[in-house]
Amino acid sequence: MSATIHFTIDGVEVTGKAGQTILQAASEAGIYIPRLCAHKDLTPHGSCRVCTVMVNGRPQAACTQPVSDGAIVENETAEIKELRRNLVEMLFVEGNHYCMFCEKSGNCELQALAYRLGIQAPRYPYFFPQRALDATHPDIFIDHNRCILCGRCVRASKELDGKNVFQFIGRGAHKRVGFNAPDGLGHTDAAVSDRFVSICPVGAILKKRVGYAIPVGQRLFDKRPIGSEIEARRAKGK
Ligand code: FES
């Protein structure tokens, strides 16, 4: 089944294929919908809600919502931008995201999204959690203080690396990414070449001994805003 589906995003006519999500069709059309837990190589998770759009007047996660004929999708309204700002601000205060001395600065999707959404400082009080750092692996460390629970590492290990290094443990405010080994990441079959290492959108999973190999100021989002590579497709008429 490869039916063509026609719908609009902010009044722009978009063509999608049956089975595609709104996020996928929008990206192909060169329209950027912010996202954190979604990644083009992973099955959608639908957990961060940063990709929320209005579909025929109702809020939906664009990364899990299939395209449908005649749908009216709103992506860039003031209301949706404010909702996304709130979500991103809450992620910042819930963890310890000290961008000024984080190795991921400039390559961090959370930081880049905050810039794109015009966030200067969160309006909520910081939690300042004290979570353990796992450095048991010889080549990788995990700082749970920076984890946003997007689950990309969990899915990447399973779907792309063919392993099963991670799982979510706990519930609610106590939910964390855990390892499928009792004594930490160093006791799993995780390898530094695994995709889960680079697919983390923030600085929670980092390689050891490569800090600041690329100077701050010369990194991905130091050069261009997040989402601009998708918007460039539209500008080129693709
Ligand atoms: Fe859609 Fe996270 S990107 S819910």
Side-chain angles (χ1 to χ4, degrees):
M1 194 168 75
S2 61
T4 302
I5 304 231
H6 301 276
F7 65 105
T8 62
I9 300 179
D10 294 333
V12 175
E13 292 202 9
V14 175
T15 305
K17 300 183 224 36
Q20 265 187 327
T21 64
I22 291 175
L23 191 88
Q24 287 167 334
S27 295
E28 277 183 16
I31 296 171
Y32 175 65
I33 298 176
R35 77 287 307 259
L36 281 174
C37 69
H39 187 281
K40 64 180 176 50
D41 297 335
L42 299 173
T43 54
H45 194 229
S47 59
C48 75
R49 312 315 271 191
V50 165
C51 69
T52 298
V53 291
M54 299 301 274
V55 182
N56 299 330
R58 308 178 88 154
Q60 303 282 3
C63 70
T64 54
Q65 183 68 20
V67 291
S68 58
D69 236 345
I72 297 170
V73 178
E74 294 166 278
N75 175 42
E76 290 278 348
T77 67
E79 184 192 8
I80 291 169
K81 283 186 192 166
E82 181 57 15
L83 178 131
R84 291 175 183 154
R85 266 195 292 271
N86 268 316
L87 288 170
V88 171
E89 287 181 24
M90 284 189 267
L91 287 172
F92 265 99
V93 301
E94 189 273 340
N96 293 322
H97 300 279
Y98 303 119
C99 301
M100 68 296 283
F101 54 82
C102 177
E103 156 60 14
K104 194 83 172 202
S105 185
N107 289 324
C108 171
E109 293 179 38
L110 180 68
Q111 180 194 44
L113 205 46
Y115 281 129
R116 173 145 185 157
L117 294 170
I119 297 170
Q120 295 190 325
R123 291 162 289 180
Y124 307 110
Y126 286 92
F127 285 24
F128 297 122
Q130 292 191 353
R131 299 182 194 132
L133 187 147
D134 185 295
T136 54
H137 194 282
D139 302 315
I140 310 159
F141 71 91
I142 301 207
D143 186 346
H144 294 282
N145 294 289
R146 297 178 187 149
C147 177
I148 58 169
L149 299 175
C150 65
R152 280 198 198 172
C153 58
V154 181
R155 285 172 284 152
S157 180
K158 242 185 231 160
E159 297 171 14
L160 306 178
D161 300 328
K163 301 180 183 178
N164 195 12
V165 168
F166 304 101
Q167 62 177 320
F168 282 120
I169 53 173
R171 300 171 68 136
H174 302 290
K175 186 174 174 182
R176 295 286 166 262
V177 168
F179 312 109
N180 282 319
D183 298 318
L185 187 67
H187 300 270
T188 68
D189 56 352
V192 72
S193 55
D194 287 351
R195 279 292 302 280
F196 82 79
V197 179
S198 58
I199 220 161
C200 173
V202 291
I205 301 178
L206 291 171
K207 293 179 190 173
K208 292 181 176 176
R209 300 179 298 280
V210 293
Y212 299 96
I214 299 173
V216 170
Q218 296 175 32
R219 299 173 176 198
L220 184 63
F221 302 125
D222 294 331
K223 296 181 183 155
R224 56 167 180 77
I226 192 166
S228 57
E229 77 287 359
I230 290 174
E231 290 165 330
R233 280 179 210 153
R234 192 161 158 219
K236 280 185 202 154
K238 203 177 157 198

